[in-house]
PDB file of all heavy atoms in Angstrom:
ATOM      1  N   GLN A 320     233.272 105.294 333.519  1.00 92.00           N
ATOM      2  CA  GLN A 320     234.161 106.288 332.918  1.00 92.00           C
ATOM      3  C   GLN A 320     235.626 105.856 332.917  1.00 92.00           C
ATOM      4  O   GLN A 320     236.046 105.118 333.823  1.00 92.00           O
ATOM      5  CB  GLN A 320     234.015 107.624 333.661  1.00 92.00           C
ATOM      6  CG  GLN A 320     234.376 107.579 335.147  1.00 92.00           C
ATOM      7  CD  GLN A 320     234.102 108.891 335.812  1.00 92.00           C
ATOM      8  OE1 GLN A 320     234.743 109.889 335.541  1.00 92.00           O
ATOM      9  NE2 GLN A 320     233.099 108.915 336.709  1.00 92.00           N
ATOM     10  N   THR A 379     234.826 111.908 346.460  1.00 89.00           N
ATOM     11  CA  THR A 379     235.527 111.295 345.336  1.00 89.00           C
ATOM     12  C   THR A 379     234.603 110.254 344.717  1.00 89.00           C
ATOM     13  O   THR A 379     233.544 109.922 345.268  1.00 89.00           O
ATOM     14  CB  THR A 379     236.831 110.590 345.778  1.00 89.00           C
ATOM     15  OG1 THR A 379     236.504 109.400 346.514  1.00 89.00           O
ATOM     16  CG2 THR A 379     237.690 111.507 346.632  1.00 89.00           C
ATOM     17  N   LEU A 380     235.023 109.679 343.593  1.00 88.00           N
ATOM     18  CA  LEU A 380     234.230 108.641 342.934  1.00 88.00           C
ATOM     19  C   LEU A 380     234.109 107.396 343.802  1.00 88.00           C
ATOM     20  O   LEU A 380     233.188 106.600 343.629  1.00 88.00           O
ATOM     21  CB  LEU A 380     234.860 108.284 341.580  1.00 88.00           C
ATOM     22  CG  LEU A 380     234.762 109.363 340.494  1.00 88.00           C
ATOM     23  CD1 LEU A 380     235.528 108.932 339.255  1.00 88.00           C
ATOM     24  CD2 LEU A 380     233.308 109.659 340.152  1.00 88.00           C
ATOM     25  N   LYS A 381     235.033 107.228 344.731  1.00 88.00           N
ATOM     26  CA  LYS A 381     234.962 106.075 345.628  1.00 88.00           C
ATOM     27  C   LYS A 381     233.733 106.145 346.534  1.00 88.00           C
ATOM     28  O   LYS A 381     233.344 105.149 347.129  1.00 88.00           O
ATOM     29  CB  LYS A 381     236.233 105.986 346.475  1.00 88.00           C
ATOM     30  CG  LYS A 381     237.484 105.670 345.660  1.00 88.00           C
ATOM     31  CD  LYS A 381     238.710 105.609 346.552  1.00 88.00           C
ATOM     32  CE  LYS A 381     239.973 105.307 345.734  1.00 88.00           C
ATOM     33  NZ  LYS A 381     241.194 105.279 346.573  1.00 88.00           N
ATOM     34  N   PRO A 423     235.461 102.370 338.040  1.00 44.00           N
ATOM     35  CA  PRO A 423     236.515 102.988 337.236  1.00 44.00           C
ATOM     36  C   PRO A 423     237.641 103.494 338.126  1.00 44.00           C
ATOM     37  O   PRO A 423     237.484 103.613 339.329  1.00 44.00           O
ATOM     38  CB  PRO A 423     235.789 104.169 336.583  1.00 44.00           C
ATOM     39  CG  PRO A 423     234.779 104.560 337.607  1.00 44.00           C
ATOM     40  CD  PRO A 423     234.321 103.243 338.231  1.00 44.00           C
ATOM     41  N   GLU A 424     238.759 103.801 337.499  1.00 42.00           N
ATOM     42  CA  GLU A 424     239.789 104.512 338.250  1.00 42.00           C
ATOM     43  C   GLU A 424     239.279 105.919 338.481  1.00 42.00           C
ATOM     44  O   GLU A 424     238.540 106.489 337.705  1.00 42.00           O
ATOM     45  CB  GLU A 424     241.084 104.554 337.440  1.00 42.00           C
ATOM     46  CG  GLU A 424     241.727 103.186 337.271  1.00 42.00           C
ATOM     47  CD  GLU A 424     243.074 103.297 336.592  1.00 42.00           C
ATOM     48  OE1 GLU A 424     243.564 104.433 336.447  1.00 42.00           O
ATOM     49  OE2 GLU A 424     243.634 102.258 336.241  1.00 42.00           O
ATOM     50  N   THR A 425     239.648 106.493 339.601  1.00 41.00           N
ATOM     51  CA  THR A 425     239.122 107.779 339.994  1.00 41.00           C
ATOM     52  C   THR A 425     239.500 108.884 339.025  1.00 41.00           C
ATOM     53  O   THR A 425     240.670 109.059 338.721  1.00 41.00           O
ATOM     54  CB  THR A 425     239.605 108.163 341.407  1.00 41.00           C
ATOM     55  OG1 THR A 425     239.203 107.137 342.297  1.00 41.00           O
ATOM     56  CG2 THR A 425     239.025 109.486 341.857  1.00 41.00           C
ATOM     57  N   ILE A 426     238.499 109.595 338.520  1.00 46.00           N
ATOM     58  CA  ILE A 426     238.693 110.773 337.692  1.00 46.00           C
ATOM     59  C   ILE A 426     237.896 111.886 338.341  1.00 46.00           C
ATOM     60  O   ILE A 426     236.691 111.966 338.150  1.00 46.00           O
ATOM     61  CB  ILE A 426     238.237 110.545 336.244  1.00 46.00           C
ATOM     62  CG1 ILE A 426     238.977 109.367 335.632  1.00 46.00           C
ATOM     63  CG2 ILE A 426     238.441 111.800 335.416  1.00 46.00           C
ATOM     64  CD1 ILE A 426     238.530 109.014 334.245  1.00 46.00           C
ATOM     65  N   ASP A 427     238.526 112.701 339.134  1.00 46.00           N
ATOM     66  CA  ASP A 427     237.802 113.678 339.951  1.00 46.00           C
ATOM     67  C   ASP A 427     237.723 115.046 339.333  1.00 46.00           C
ATOM     68  O   ASP A 427     237.301 115.989 339.939  1.00 46.00           O
ATOM     69  CB  ASP A 427     238.468 113.799 341.331  1.00 46.00           C
ATOM     70  CG  ASP A 427     238.336 112.508 342.117  1.00 46.00           C
ATOM     71  OD1 ASP A 427     237.398 111.751 341.800  1.00 46.00           O
ATOM     72  OD2 ASP A 427     239.159 112.249 342.996  1.00 46.00           O
ATOM     73  N   GLY A 428     238.073 115.174 338.095  1.00 44.00           N
ATOM     74  CA  GLY A 428     237.945 116.470 337.435  1.00 44.00           C
ATOM     75  C   GLY A 428     239.250 117.206 337.393  1.00 44.00           C
ATOM     76  O   GLY A 428     239.292 118.294 336.960  1.00 44.00           O
TER      77      GLY A 428
END
Side-chain angles (χ1 to χ4, degrees):
Q320 61 185 292
T379 71
L380 290 175
K381 293 179 181 179
E424 293 186 10
T425 303
I426 303 176
D427 294 337

